[in-house]
Amino acid sequence: MDFWDELFGTQPDPPVAVTLVTGAAALLLVLSGEPWRLARNVITIVHEAGHALVAVLVGRRLRGITLHSDTSGVTVSRGKPTGPGMVLTAFAGYVAPSLIGLGLAALMIAGKITLLLWVMTALMLAVLVMIRNVFGVVSVVLTGAVLVTVSLVTSPQVQAAFACLVAWFLLFGGVRPVFELQAKRRRRQARDSDADQLARLTRTPGLFWVAMFVLISLGAAFLGGMWLLEPVIAR
């Protein structure tokens, strides 16, 4: 009973300094070189989870997820190759980190820090079931292990700081891959990207879909950042 009370209960907000420091750390990580390449694997997991979740919601049959060491990934589902369901499935990947980050920011300001951590853990478990390669399994297990360890072993203060860092990282980390995508498209290195698949499905220029990804990711980062900074602004 104590677990359920803690899971759905309200925890204190992290100190203002923690919110600012974790936000700065997440931004520096996203803007970095090699550290970003490693951390980007988490963004890829969430990206592919977005494809998978929407595929299931629109009635497609999910076949599996593959994650690669170059931070790319593939989600395979079966169903009608055209139509709204396929469009939504293709669209979901690049916006998933930003929208999930926005949801986590909402949980943070509501004081649902424990729930936030376990929601992310449940997401990792759901993805793990569908992973079809060794690198993917290792990546998801390690990410899930960190979440479980923080949730079960650390103090409420550490949990709050970590949850804030995760929310910031997904908000900022959802933006950079969109610009990386367009850079690859300019070099003609991403002919089968989500944007180009959407272009073929809808007969709309791929640049339009990249612009949509940009608007949503930047909008989520701005709104989620305002929510996380609310205690700072209110002072």
Side-chain angles (χ1 to χ4, degrees):
M1 194 66 172
D2 290 341
F3 171 77
W4 295 107
D5 289 341
E6 183 178 355
L7 179 63
F8 293 103
T10 301
Q11 293 80 39
D13 292 332
V16 169
V18 170
T19 301
L20 294 173
V21 169
T22 54
L27 182 59
L28 287 174
L29 178 58
V30 170
L31 295 176
S32 67
E34 187 63 20
W36 162 247
R37 195 191 71 80
L38 295 174
R40 197 186 190 285
N41 287 294
V42 176
I43 299 297
T44 302
I45 292 171
V46 179
H47 176 116
E48 299 305 330
H51 283 311
L53 175 61
V54 173
V56 171
L57 290 177
V58 300
R60 298 180 63 81
R61 182 177 297 178
L62 188 60
R63 304 299 295 174
I65 299 171
T66 303
L67 303 174
H68 302 127
S69 59
D70 64 356
T71 73
S72 65
V74 177
T75 297
V76 178
S77 62
R78 287 189 176 178
K80 189 177 177 181
T82 59
M86 189 61 208
V87 171
L88 289 172
T89 300
F91 185 76
Y94 275 99
V95 301
S98 298
L99 295 182
I100 291 177
L102 186 62
L104 297 185
L107 289 176
M108 280 292 301
I109 64 170
K112 304 294 185 179
I113 294 170
T114 301
L115 180 61
L116 183 159
L117 293 172
W118 283 107
V119 164
M120 289 301 297
T121 303
L123 176 65
M124 292 302 108
L125 181 60
V127 172
L128 180 62
V129 173
M130 297 308 302
I131 291 292
R132 296 293 181 263
N133 68 323
V134 174
F135 179 82
V137 169
V138 172
S139 297
V140 175
V141 167
L142 288 176
T143 304
V146 171
L147 289 165
V148 170
T149 301
V150 172
S151 300
L152 295 179
V153 176
T154 64
S155 67
Q157 293 78 14
V158 173
Q159 291 178 13
F162 181 77
C164 199
L165 178 64
V166 171
W168 278 120
F169 176 67
L170 289 179
L171 290 171
F172 292 142
V175 177
R176 180 169 173 174
V178 180
F179 289 95
E180 292 176 340
L181 165 65
Q182 184 55 26
K184 288 183 178 179
R185 292 184 73 249
R186 281 200 303 268
R187 297 192 297 267
R188 300 184 182 278
Q189 296 176 346
R191 294 176 183 271
D192 291 321
S193 71
D194 293 352
D196 292 283
Q197 290 182 47
L198 286 163
R200 291 191 289 269
L201 286 167
T202 63
R203 298 184 180 179
T204 305
L207 187 60
F208 168 81
W209 295 106
V210 174
M212 292 292 292
F213 296 154
V214 169
L215 288 174
I216 292 173
S217 61
L218 288 177
F222 176 78
L223 182 57
M226 292 297 291
W227 287 350
L228 291 171
L229 292 173
E230 186 177 327
V232 180
I233 298 170
R235 291 190 64 168

